[in-house]
Structure formats: C-alpha cells, structure tokens
Amino acid sequence: MTLSQEYDAVDIRLLPNANRTQYCEHGYIPTVDQYMQAMGRYSPAVHAVGSIITIALFVFYVEHIIFTYRNTHTVYRRHINWLACFYPLGALMTILALVVPRAHNICTAVKIVFFALGISHFTDLTVVMFGCEKGMLAKLKESKFDLHVGLLRCCVCIPSPAISKIRLRFLKWMIWQFPYSQTLYFFFEIYWTSSESDPEGLILLNYDYLWLDIFNALSFFSAIYAFTVLAHLVRDHLHAFNYKRKYATLLLLLIVLKLLGLVITILGNYEVFPCLPPYINSRVYSHTVLNLVHLVLLTIFGGLEYWQYHTEEFLSPISDKHHQHHHELIIHGQACVCIISEMTGHQSRRKSIAQLPFVVEETTSEVQDLESEEKGKTNPTLHTPSVEVNGTSHVAQDAKDVNTEENGASQTCF
C-alpha cells in the first residue's frame, strides 16, 4: 500500500487531534480559514498579486470599451466588447476561487461558459466582417468546405462539400452549441457532486461521472472542429482584419484552458499531486495549481487581445480597401448589406441587373439614401425628366442608358 493509499484509507475524524496533522483526508475541501492556514505565508502574496492582475485587467477593459466606442463601427462593437470582457471576469473568478476553495467548481464554470460565449461572438464577428450571412455566401460561392482539419486531416474519405446556406448554418450551430452544452455540463456536475457528497461534505466520485466527461468531450471537440473549419474557409478573404492571428489566439487559449484543466483535475483526483496535511490534499492542491496557471494565462492572452483589437481595423464598415478590387464595395444598411460588384464593358442597365450577384435582406431608407448619393456623385449632370400620363408620373427612358460608367466599370447597388 502506497503512502497516498494509506492516507485515503484513514478517516482523520476518527484520529486523536495529535495525529490528524499527519494525514490528508481524501475528498475534503477546506474552509477559508483552514485554506489560509495551510497556505501560510504564500496566501497573502497570492491574493495580492491576483488582486493587482484583476484590477489591471478591469482598468484596461474600461479603457478598451471607451476606445471601441470612439474608433469601432457599431456593427462590430458588441462582439469585440464580449471578447474583451472574458479576461477581467476570468481573473475575478480565479481570485475568488483562490480565496474560497469550495467555490472552485462554480468559478471554473463561469470562466469556461463566458469564454464559450466569446467564441460564439467571434463567429458572429466573422460573419459581420463579410457584411451578413448572404454577403458571406456571395463572397464564398466558389469555395468549398475543407473538412480535412485537426484530427481528421488524414481521413481522405471525407468529402469537401460546396458552400450552401444550410451547411454554413450547421457549421455555425456546431460552434454556437458550445456555451449551452458547457452550461449543462457544469450544472449537472455541480448538482451531482452536491448530491453524492456525504453528510460531512466529502466528495465521492464514481464512474457515473464518466457520462458527463464524455458529453463534455463531445461538446468541446465538435466546437473546436467547426471553429477550425470556419477559419480555413474565410481566412484568405479577411487579411485586412488580421483574421488568422485573432483566430489562432482564441483557438490556442481554448485548447489550453480545457485540456490543461482536464489533465490537472485528473492528476489531482488520482493523488498525483502531493498532500500537505491536514487540509491540502491532492485535489485541493490541483485546484490551487490550476487557478495560478489561469492567472498567468489570462494576463498573457488578455494583453494579446488588447493589442489585437486596440486598432483601427474596425473603424468603418467593410469597404473597398478590404478587398482585392478597389471598386468592390459592401455598404451597410440597418439590416444587412448591399454588394456593388464589378461589371466590365458597356452593358444596358437591364442586362447588368440580371448578371449582378446582389444581396438584399431589408430595404431601408439608409440604403436608399446612400444609393441616390452614389448615383448623384457618379453622374451629377444626369437629369431624368418625368412625364405625367393619366395623373401618374413616369420616368422618361432617354436617360442615356442610366449606366453609371466609370473607366469601363459599371457599379450598381440594390
């Protein structure tokens, strides 16, 4: 019998007070006073450093909100602020778990669920970078899904389907399910843990938790896979937003948070970490290590997030400078976008309309005003006389083919 097994076999509640300090009670989570006593002189240092990191991240977050309000277009602002709020909130949950060890599970649940919400908002931000879902489909109509990514890279039998609205939405739902499935996982884990604990509060783990772990793994890997497929699909079209760098940062943080937490938790449950009697058993030791690592990760990746989004890349809606051709525009209305595509040669307006890949979700006064302004700028001398017939005003058809031609390229907005 190993030393850790001897500790597990001993119930320190049955020992005299003089002998209790020699053993750790498996499954026991100490109170605040017991935890501070066991941490000794390290407790004030950990609390002070964690508080400074948390306060600094909240200060930078407030400044980040002010910056986005002044320098970021409204269509991007909400998603970027959601991404930025995870780091100060995650640091706050970490320091709370270091102060109250019995709150570790609920604090970890809040961190992971909020980060999963950030991944969902980054997915929505990706779509907004194209203007809307229809604009994204129009831009990617010649592309195909690359499903040979991640662990399935070597599976040559997987097809590469063409882009469609249903397939794109299914891919997005594989990412959007992540915060909901993680919420269910942590709820049942905390609820089940409370119901399986003995009257003294000792946590009794059993093999029934394996079903929860399988559900957690399926949720995590499906989100990772869909996130990777989406990034491979759009990264070549979003150079102006530095999309690859932003995606890689979030993907790396997600993998580190989940896998590192899983590995450290398993090591703690199997008594790999040392025991510091009488209150710091292997599980409590693993919780402490995990929270300290989270503080470091949140500081590093929080700085990266601040640097990546504290720019003027999102200053205005998608415009011609974000695309390969300077005359290809995406103009934002209240609901969606209107795409102006390149049309070369001298064609009639009716023929141009039939060939344009246009996108319309809602006709708004804003888009109509912008359309009229563009036409006025293109041909300020054009006057379209109207003829009144039977009380109805009709537009005369001698408006010089109403084609707004600039250097051989016709641009039309619908």
Side-chain angles (χ1 to χ4, degrees):
M1 181 179 292
T2 64
L3 185 61
S4 62
Q5 291 174 336
E6 291 179 1
Y7 289 157
D8 295 342
V10 175
D11 187 350
I12 66 171
R13 290 169 290 181
L14 303 178
L15 295 175
N17 291 334
N19 296 329
R20 289 186 182 183
T21 58
Q22 301 178 10
Y23 299 96
C24 291
E25 189 170 9
H26 180 71
Y28 180 73
I29 307 297
T31 64
V32 176
D33 293 335
Q34 292 171 345
Y35 188 64
M36 293 182 65
Q37 177 185 348
M39 291 283 289
R41 65 178 183 273
Y42 295 105
S43 180
V46 169
H47 293 168
V49 173
S51 300
I52 292 173
I53 292 175
T54 303
I55 293 173
L57 288 175
F58 268 104
V59 170
F60 279 108
Y61 176 60
V62 172
E63 194 277 336
H64 194 48
I65 291 178
I66 297 174
F67 178 85
T68 55
Y69 180 78
R70 294 177 176 177
N71 300 281
T72 304
H73 195 272
T74 55
V75 296
Y76 309 115
R77 194 179 298 160
R78 179 172 62 93
H79 304 301
I80 293 177
N81 287 338
W82 260 100
L83 285 170
C85 79
F86 163 71
Y87 302 95
L89 181 67
L92 178 62
M93 292 297 105
T94 302
I95 194 62
L96 289 178
L98 287 171
V99 173
V100 184
R102 292 181 178 179
H104 171 79
N105 288 340
I106 187 65
C107 290
T108 301
V110 172
K111 279 188 290 188
I112 299 300
V113 170
F114 258 82
F115 186 67
L117 285 171
I119 296 294
S120 299
H121 276 277
F122 186 78
T123 303
D124 295 335
L125 181 64
T126 301
V127 177
V128 173
M129 290 177 186
F130 287 93
C132 67
E133 186 182 67
K134 290 186 177 180
M136 184 177 181
L137 289 169
K139 188 70 177 178
L140 302 174
K141 62 180 180 179
E142 302 297 334
S143 304
K144 291 186 177 181
F145 288 106
D146 183 11
L147 302 181
H148 303 86
V149 297
L151 299 177
L152 301 180
R153 186 179 297 273
C154 299
C155 298
V156 295
C157 58
I158 299 178
S160 297
I163 304 295
S164 68
K165 183 177 181 179
I166 296 178
R167 291 168 181 167
L168 180 61
R169 287 194 175 180
F170 180 77
L171 185 68
K172 291 191 293 183
W173 269 110
M174 288 181 65
I175 305 174
W176 287 339
Q177 58 80 28
F178 192 42
Y180 301 103
S181 58
Q182 289 298 296
T183 301
L184 289 175
Y185 164 73
F186 281 110
F187 171 78
F188 283 109
E189 183 193 40
I190 295 171
Y191 182 80
W192 205 343
T193 299
S194 300
S195 64
E196 293 290 328
S197 300
D198 69 3
E200 299 295 329
L202 297 182
I203 300 174
L204 306 177
L205 298 177
N206 53 58
Y207 287 103
D208 292 334
Y209 281 89
L210 181 62
W211 297 105
L212 278 179
D213 293 333
I214 293 175
F215 175 76
N216 183 29
L218 290 176
S219 166
F220 170 69
F221 284 111
S222 61
I224 286 288
Y225 180 72
F227 193 49
T228 307
V229 171
L230 179 64
H232 280 253
L233 179 65
V234 305
R235 60 185 181 180
D236 293 333
H237 300 274
L238 300 175
H239 291 294
F241 294 102
N242 291 310
Y243 186 84
K244 291 182 181 180
R245 186 171 60 195
K246 293 178 174 63
Y247 148 76
T249 300
L250 286 178
L251 181 64
L252 179 61
L253 180 57
L254 176 60
I255 293 176
V256 171
L257 281 179
K258 290 293 291 182
L259 293 185
L260 187 64
L262 177 64
V263 171
I264 292 180
T265 300
I266 291 175
L267 294 179
N269 292 338
Y270 283 91
E271 306 294 332
V272 175
F273 287 100
C275 163
L276 302 178
Y279 303 121
I280 306 294
N281 55 44
S282 179
R283 181 177 300 162
V284 177
Y285 198 106
S286 69
H287 293 174
T288 304
V289 171
L290 183 61
N291 285 314
L292 292 176
V293 172
H294 279 183
L295 270 181
V296 176
L297 291 176
L298 290 169
T299 304
I300 296 174
F301 284 92
L304 286 175
E305 190 277 338
Y306 182 85
W307 170 61
Q308 289 177 355
Y309 291 93
H310 210 269
T311 64
E312 295 185 353
E313 294 169 354
F314 301 94
L315 180 62
S316 60
I318 301 177
S319 64
D320 51 338
K321 65 181 180 180
H322 295 117
H323 294 272
Q324 182 178 3
H325 302 292
H326 70 278
H327 47 267
E328 185 176 3
L329 304 176
I330 297 182
I331 304 172
H332 287 260
Q334 294 178 0
C336 191
V337 296
C338 171
I339 301 180
I340 304 178
S341 300
E342 175 189 8
M343 295 298 298
T344 57
H346 301 274
Q347 305 178 33
S348 66
R349 179 178 176 83
R350 188 177 302 274
K351 187 175 181 181
S352 300
I353 292 175
Q355 294 181 357
L356 274 175
F358 62 93
V359 178
V360 176
E361 238 187 83
E362 179 181 345
T363 303
T364 61
S365 57
E366 180 181 348
V367 176
Q368 292 173 353
D369 294 341
L370 185 57
E371 178 182 347
S372 60
E373 291 177 6
E374 290 292 331
K375 290 180 179 179
K377 291 179 180 178
T378 306
N379 196 346
T381 62
L382 179 63
H383 299 283
T384 306
S386 61
V387 180
E388 185 172 352
V389 179
N390 296 329
T392 304
S393 180
H394 298 274
V395 179
Q397 296 184 357
D398 65 345
K400 302 288 187 179
D401 291 327
V402 196
N403 292 342
T404 55
E405 300 174 357
E406 286 185 3
N407 299 324
S410 174
Q411 302 177 354
T412 310
C413 179
F414 301 94

